[in-house]
């Protein structure tokens, strides 16, 4: 179910407030901004598949050392595929918004919400 225009505006305002007021939290929680390294992913997947093959072959011919070696290769392949490289390039982490949305409001969203809450508690409309 799509959001109404008012809900979309409120959500965008909350996002801007979060980006404006708590940039460190956004940087930590906002997900990764690294571009995937397809070379390491493909190399890791190939190593994992080779490791699975070695594990299955070790079990089939009842050679423990081959099964353990296959497991180690499979584990290393998964690590290679999922670990970001040291020279990975960062994508832009800034929120995309229109120029009219980039200006900061005089008061933050939470300030206005706290003020509304206080007015309700005092019995004012």
């Amino acid at each position: 179910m799509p959001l109404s225009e008012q809900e979309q505006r409120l959500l965008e305002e909350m996002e801007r407030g979060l980006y404006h007021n708590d940039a460190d939290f956004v940087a930590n929680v906002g997900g990764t901004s690294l571009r995937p390294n397809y070379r390491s992913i493909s190399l890791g997947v190939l190593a994992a598949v080779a490791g699975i093959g070695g594990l299955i072959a070790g079990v089939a011919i009842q050679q423990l050392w081959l099964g353990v070696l296959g497991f180690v290769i499979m584990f290393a392949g998964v690590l290679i595929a999922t670990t970001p490289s040291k020279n990975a390039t960062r994508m832009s982490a800034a929120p995309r918004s229109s120029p009219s949305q980039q200006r900061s409001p005089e008061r933050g969203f939470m300030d206005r919400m706290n003020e509304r809450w206080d007015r309700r508690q005092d019995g004012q409309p």
Side-chain angles (χ1 to χ4, degrees), residues 1-15:
M1 182 169 87
L3 297 174
S4 69
E5 288 182 28
Q6 180 183 5
E7 291 170 333
Q8 287 178 345
R9 276 186 275 128
L10 183 62
L11 181 62
E12 289 172 359
E13 189 174 335
M14 290 170 63
E15 287 177 352

Side-chain angles (χ1 to χ4, degrees), residues 32-87:
T32 181
S33 61
L34 296 177
R35 291 186 180 168
N37 186 352
Y38 296 110
R39 183 181 212 185
S40 66
I41 291 172
S42 61
L43 183 66
V45 168
L46 286 174
V49 169
I52 290 172
L55 181 65
I56 292 172
V59 170
I61 61 175
Q62 296 181 354
Q63 294 293 320
L64 180 63
W65 65 271
L66 185 58
V68 170
L69 181 65
F71 179 79
V72 169
I73 292 172
M74 178 182 65
F75 186 72
V78 170
L79 285 179
I80 290 170
T82 58
T83 305
S85 64
K86 294 177 184 172
N87 59 355

Side-chain angles (χ1 to χ4, degrees), residues 57-122:
V59 170
I61 61 175
Q62 296 181 354
Q63 294 293 320
L64 180 63
W65 65 271
L66 185 58
V68 170
L69 181 65
F71 179 79
V72 169
I73 292 172
M74 178 182 65
F75 186 72
V78 170
L79 285 179
I80 290 170
T82 58
T83 305
S85 64
K86 294 177 184 172
N87 59 355
T89 57
R90 291 201 171 269
M91 293 170 39
S92 174
R96 296 179 183 212
S97 58
S98 66
S100 65
Q101 293 176 347
Q102 290 179 352
R103 57 185 166 87
S104 61
E106 293 86 31
R107 296 182 311 175
F109 172 75
M110 290 305 294
D111 293 334
R112 290 194 311 271
M113 293 303 287
N114 285 334
E115 188 176 308
R116 287 175 61 188
W117 176 258
D118 290 340
R119 281 189 301 196
R120 285 187 194 141
Q121 295 301 317
D122 294 338

